[in-house]
Amino acid sequence: MSDQTPLSDHAPPGPELWASVDALWEWLDNSRPIDGPDGVLLRILKLNEEVGEVAEAVIGATGQNPRKGVTHTWDDVQSELCDVAVTALVALRTLTPDAREVFARHLERVTRRSRTPS
């Protein structure tokens, strides 16, 4: 894996994250060729494409395809994972204007559940 600046040196995601998500959502909404329920479904299906790109990058970073060899780096994998996260947040914003609150509540539940012994 690559060396990165420690997370503590970065500001935590906050309002600027959601401002970016809103801007991306608006840009995509204004330029999508298909509106209505089909457009929403296509926005959500975009996640599958992005997850596939993560898989491709992992296979490329580990050289698992002997015909191609090493074609990607772990930085590529990180970038593709970020694309998945952004795509998921934009898809959530497509479903609700309250995406920030919905995500915060869900993250709180998942975090709480992870701290509860099984």
Side-chain angles (χ1 to χ4, degrees), residues 23-50:
L24 288 167
W25 168 79
E26 186 174 355
W27 171 67
L28 289 169
D29 243 35
N30 289 331
S31 60
R32 68 177 159 171
I34 299 173
D35 277 333
D38 288 344
V40 172
L41 292 176
L42 289 168
R43 177 82 45 87
I44 294 168
L45 286 176
K46 177 74 173 156
L47 277 166
N48 281 338
E49 178 185 359
E50 296 298 342

Side-chain angles (χ1 to χ4, degrees), residues 35-114:
D35 277 333
D38 288 344
V40 172
L41 292 176
L42 289 168
R43 177 82 45 87
I44 294 168
L45 286 176
K46 177 74 173 156
L47 277 166
N48 281 338
E49 178 185 359
E50 296 298 342
V51 169
E53 291 175 10
V54 171
E56 180 181 6
V58 169
I59 289 167
T62 58
Q64 290 301 300
N65 183 335
R67 187 174 54 80
K68 294 181 179 179
V70 175
T71 58
H72 290 74
T73 67
W74 288 104
D75 283 344
D76 295 326
V77 175
Q78 290 176 21
S79 178
E80 296 299 344
L81 286 168
C82 289
D83 285 349
V84 169
V86 169
T87 302
L89 292 175
V90 171
L92 180 60
R93 174 59 185 87
T94 299
L95 292 177
T96 177
D98 299 324
R100 181 178 182 168
E101 294 78 18
V102 169
F103 184 76
R105 284 192 309 268
H106 186 79
L107 183 59
E108 183 181 330
R109 281 193 303 271
V110 170
T111 302
R112 190 173 43 243
R113 190 172 59 222
S114 74

